[in-house]
Amino acid sequence: MALNDLLTGDALAWLGTEGTDSDVVLSSRIRLARNFRQIPFPNRADISQLGEVQAQVEQMLPGLEQGLGCGFDRVDMERLTPLQKEVLIEKNLISRNFLRQPQHRVAFISEDQCVSLMVNEEDHLRIQCMAPGLDLEKTFAVASQIDDWFESQLDIAFDEKMGYLTSCPTNLGTGLRASVILHLPGLVATRNISSIVNISPQLGLAVRPYFGDDKESIGCLYQIANQLTLGFSEEELLGNLKSAVQEIVAHEREARKALSVYMKDSLEDDVWRAYGILRYARSLSEKETLTLLSKVRLGIDLRIIGEVTAQCFPQILIGSRRSYLQNLAANENLSKNEIDRLRAERVRAVLQQCSAPKG
Amino acid sequence: MLCDDCGRNEAVVQITLLGPEGRVEKHLCQHCAANYGGYLFPTQRKDMSVNDFLKGVFNYAPEEEQKDDQTAEQERPQAPREDELVCPNCGMSYHDFLQTGKIGCSVCYATFRRQLEPILRRIHGSSTHSGKIPHRTGGTLETKHQINLLRARQQEAVEQENYELAAECRDRIRALEQQLALQEGGVQHGAE
């Protein structure tokens, strides 16, 4: 796939609407941090050492493509404009850390956009796998398979006692960071979200808003991830996260049920108003779009709205993002008003496109 | 006393401003005092990263360690002080690590093992890995791990009186133990 399609496409493979518990769990992600023996970690390596790492990964790639039955696109950070890099971040395909320095920073992104290998990020190799819905085991199996392939030919930094060695001691051991994106409008509306955010550290988990900051979350999206990486096996870490997520999912469904019973009229009004604005507005800010989108998704999941399918959600989510729109318009110098106008246009088009067939 | 700024509410805070017109003392109500937030809490930076936070955690380490060090130092008076330790592979000193919160290379973990272990216990609550093991660089750990798993299975089989399975496990354990002995011998011979 050409880089252009990667940037302008409006589908987010990892944010599909199918998958387990997809009414609440939008996406699962696994990240493994790996380093090669002897070569200093990227923050201390010189240019030739970084190049060596890149060459080693690159040489392993054809075999990996064969093993997975899936091609990879090579995305060289030195050749991208700042705007293009921002779009890849908005699409969750690379991390912000990756942009600090461009030299020998290369991402290999699978054709289905579910796997992203970052070379010379904080660690020599970051394997990131994503899937829609709650699917940590299978996603980990893919990441582990990729890890096995690299490990079959290259010497990975490993210590019998401390496990996989990583640049930051917070990733040491398994090098595993598993995270899940949750849509929690019910818990936000019933003001139960803070108790979940407060309890999670006791379970070794971190919950934070996906958009916005700690004071104010936008669009009721939250990310939950394991904090600890050492002293537990991968299965234990994933099991712990999964059971916490399932617990949250149960609470969220209960909250939604309560809302639809006790606040039926105001909830319906809220949902339809949100839909009306997205459907017809001529100018939308990012924050407004995400807030309204959350309500529309809730309406679809509760079968209040039948006119559009849930498929509009990922498309509007990416279609609301600033850099994505700028890149689409091929103009970096758009004013805020112009972007707001473009965004509204985009949202209207997506809703038109995702209209459910009547009858 | 009423607030100097709004003149409506009771003043609860007294602040002293040092400006171009000299020293100005103000008595403020809670509401107006909030407007001076920038002056009152200038050190609170918004963009405190995880690393900034970790730096604090790491810097805290040596103090606590000193207690164990006193006993350790008597045994090994030659041991270099930790801030003089330098990784032979990448040249990172322990001091660099305290500054950046980032490790330099895989050899650093061996170099600073003694200093890192208490830090790891503080971050993760543990300092021993119990997850996946790579085949190539995992050394004898993978074999040992397999032996442990087989022992557990053998025990289980005996309890269930499945002696056939138990015997099978026993044979495989023996084979693995021989392999382990060979590997360990090999490592010693091939030691750097």
Side-chain angles (χ1 to χ4, degrees):
Chain A
M1 201 197 298
L3 173 67
N4 201 29
D5 294 342
L6 199 63
L7 296 169
T8 56
D10 65 357
L12 296 170
W14 47 273
L15 198 62
T17 43
E18 64 286 348
T20 318
D21 295 331
S22 65
D23 55 330
V24 182
V25 185
L26 301 184
S27 154
S28 304
R29 187 175 70 112
I30 297 287
R31 188 221 65 203
L32 292 175
R34 296 291 185 258
N35 287 287
F36 302 132
R37 236 169 32 176
Q38 303 295 340
I39 307 175
F41 298 151
N43 60 330
R44 282 195 78 86
D46 59 34
I47 294 287
S48 69
Q49 288 165 325
L50 292 171
E52 193 184 329
V53 171
Q54 188 192 333
Q56 288 195 358
V57 173
E58 237 161 4
Q59 145 225 323
M60 298 289 295
L61 212 67
L64 181 70
E65 287 179 325
Q66 216 167 22
L68 291 176
C70 175
F72 279 81
D73 284 317
R74 183 180 191 283
V75 185
D76 199 327
M77 288 304 121
E78 277 181 291
R79 294 194 189 158
L80 292 192
T81 65
L83 183 64
Q84 290 174 321
K85 292 180 194 172
E86 284 296 325
V87 177
L88 290 180
I89 291 184
E90 285 176 350
K91 290 191 161 195
N92 246 350
L93 294 170
I94 59 171
S95 63
R96 194 158 289 283
N97 241 341
F98 205 45
L99 303 189
R100 288 211 183 135
Q101 284 150 333
Q103 297 91 352
H104 293 295
R105 266 67 179 187
V106 179
F108 295 98
I109 297 168
S110 69
E111 275 166 355
D112 60 6
Q113 296 186 32
C114 285
V115 180
S116 161
L117 308 172
M118 276 176 275
V119 180
N120 288 322
E121 201 238 31
E122 193 180 281
D123 296 295
H124 291 147
L125 181 62
R126 286 259 170 125
I127 303 168
Q128 178 183 269
C129 296
M130 300 183 285
L134 179 58
D135 194 1
L136 292 166
E137 291 92 350
K138 234 196 283 166
T139 316
F140 174 71
V142 176
S144 190
Q145 188 191 346
I146 296 171
D147 176 38
D148 286 342
W149 169 249
F150 282 107
E151 196 264 314
S152 69
Q153 314 261 326
L154 304 171
D155 282 341
I156 300 289
F158 183 85
D159 179 86
E160 293 206 1
K161 191 136 186 280
M162 295 193 266
Y164 289 97
L165 304 176
T166 54
S167 169
C168 186
T170 50
N171 294 322
L172 194 70
T174 54
L176 169 74
R177 191 79 64 208
S179 64
V180 164
I181 300 174
L182 300 160
H183 182 223
L184 304 173
L187 292 173
V188 171
T190 55
R191 296 172 202 282
N192 279 314
I193 192 71
S194 58
S195 52
I196 287 179
V197 175
N198 292 340
I199 289 170
S200 54
Q202 295 172 22
L203 301 167
L205 300 168
V207 178
R208 62 175 186 80
Y210 188 65
F211 294 121
D213 50 33
D214 289 335
K215 280 189 205 119
E216 192 192 10
S217 93
I218 299 169
C220 306
L221 293 176
Y222 288 82
Q223 178 163 311
I224 176 166
N226 65 310
Q227 278 181 308
L228 307 178
T229 55
L230 181 67
F232 299 94
S233 71
E234 286 82 356
E235 289 73 25
E236 287 169 318
L237 292 170
L238 295 179
N240 182 35
L241 177 63
K242 189 179 171 187
S243 60
V245 167
Q246 282 171 332
E247 189 71 17
I248 295 175
V249 168
H251 282 288
E252 168 65 21
R253 284 189 183 141
E254 233 165 76
R256 288 183 189 185
K257 209 167 147 193
L259 281 179
S260 63
V261 170
Y262 297 112
M263 298 176 63
K264 188 164 181 289
D265 293 340
S266 69
L267 176 71
E268 282 186 0
D269 184 54
D270 235 17
V271 165
W272 280 110
R273 274 169 185 273
Y275 180 67
I277 294 173
L278 288 184
R279 194 87 167 76
Y280 294 107
R282 277 353 195 211
S283 169
L284 286 167
S285 73
E286 187 171 85
K287 188 174 162 188
E288 186 182 14
T289 311
L290 292 170
T291 310
L292 297 174
L293 178 62
S294 165
K295 290 181 178 168
V296 169
R297 176 71 194 256
L298 178 65
I300 295 171
D301 287 336
L302 289 174
R303 294 172 203 278
I304 295 171
I305 299 182
E307 294 185 24
V308 282
T309 58
Q311 193 48 48
C312 70
F313 186 84
Q315 291 185 23
I316 294 181
L317 191 77
I318 189 65
S320 72
R321 307 308 305 280
R322 189 191 170 83
S323 303
Y324 175 78
L325 288 169
Q326 284 183 316
N327 182 64
L328 211 58
N331 185 351
E332 284 186 46
N333 304 315
L334 294 171
S335 70
K336 186 181 177 302
N337 288 344
E338 285 171 312
I339 294 177
D340 286 353
R341 198 177 49 74
L342 276 178
R343 184 178 292 121
E345 215 170 88
R346 180 98 207 129
V347 171
R348 288 202 307 273
V350 170
L351 285 177
Q352 191 85 48
Q353 201 188 320
C354 292
S355 294
K358 280 189 180 146
Chain B
M1 186 186 282
L2 287 177
C3 170
D4 288 340
D5 272 17
C6 65
R8 260 175 283 161
N9 304 323
E10 191 69 22
V12 290
V13 181
Q14 182 192 344
I15 63 167
T16 308
L17 291 171
L18 294 173
E21 64 268 45
R23 206 177 145 100
V24 183
E25 276 196 10
K26 282 194 169 184
H27 299 271
L28 301 169
C29 69
Q30 206 164 5
H31 185 72
C32 294
N35 297 335
Y36 291 82
Y39 293 107
L40 295 178
F41 311 106
T43 48
Q44 271 195 342
R45 275 173 46 221
K46 260 191 188 162
D47 54 341
M48 179 167 160
S49 71
V50 184
N51 281 335
D52 292 336
F53 180 73
L54 284 177
K55 266 187 246 168
V57 175
F58 297 146
N59 279 320
Y60 180 68
E63 282 176 41
E64 197 189 81
E65 247 186 302
Q66 269 165 5
K67 280 179 207 154
D68 339 356
D69 269 12
Q70 281 168 355
T71 47
E73 247 160 342
Q74 282 167 356
E75 292 162 32
R76 291 193 299 163
Q78 303 271 301
R81 278 188 48 78
E82 57 200 20
D83 39 341
E84 291 162 12
L85 270 177
V86 171
C87 173
N89 187 45
C90 71
M92 191 186 82
S93 70
Y94 189 67
H95 186 74
D96 290 340
F97 167 64
L98 293 179
Q99 289 288 311
T100 61
K102 293 269 190 285
I103 306 283
C105 72
S106 54
V107 182
C108 290
Y109 277 102
T111 316
F112 308 119
R113 183 181 293 269
R114 221 164 58 86
Q115 285 75 29
L116 285 172
E117 272 184 9
I119 296 173
L120 293 176
R121 270 198 294 278
R122 213 172 11 253
I123 298 175
H124 296 284
S126 160
S127 63
T128 312
H129 178 61
S130 75
K132 190 174 170 177
I133 301 158
H135 303 293
R136 285 166 61 86
T137 47
T140 56
L141 195 62
E142 195 181 11
T143 322
K144 284 179 198 159
H145 189 67
Q146 273 177 336
I147 292 176
N148 283 339
L149 281 179
L150 280 170
R151 284 225 177 90
R153 203 191 296 168
Q154 184 188 20
Q155 188 66 33
E156 211 175 291
V158 169
E159 274 164 23
Q160 291 169 352
E161 299 188 6
N162 184 347
Y163 298 111
E164 212 173 305
L165 181 65
E168 199 185 303
C169 288
R170 183 201 57 208
D171 293 344
R172 282 176 61 193
I173 292 171
R174 267 192 204 151
L176 283 174
E177 274 173 346
Q178 276 172 4
Q179 194 187 324
L180 189 66
L182 269 176
Q183 276 177 351
E184 280 182 342
V187 168
Q188 273 160 20
H189 284 301
E192 304 110 289

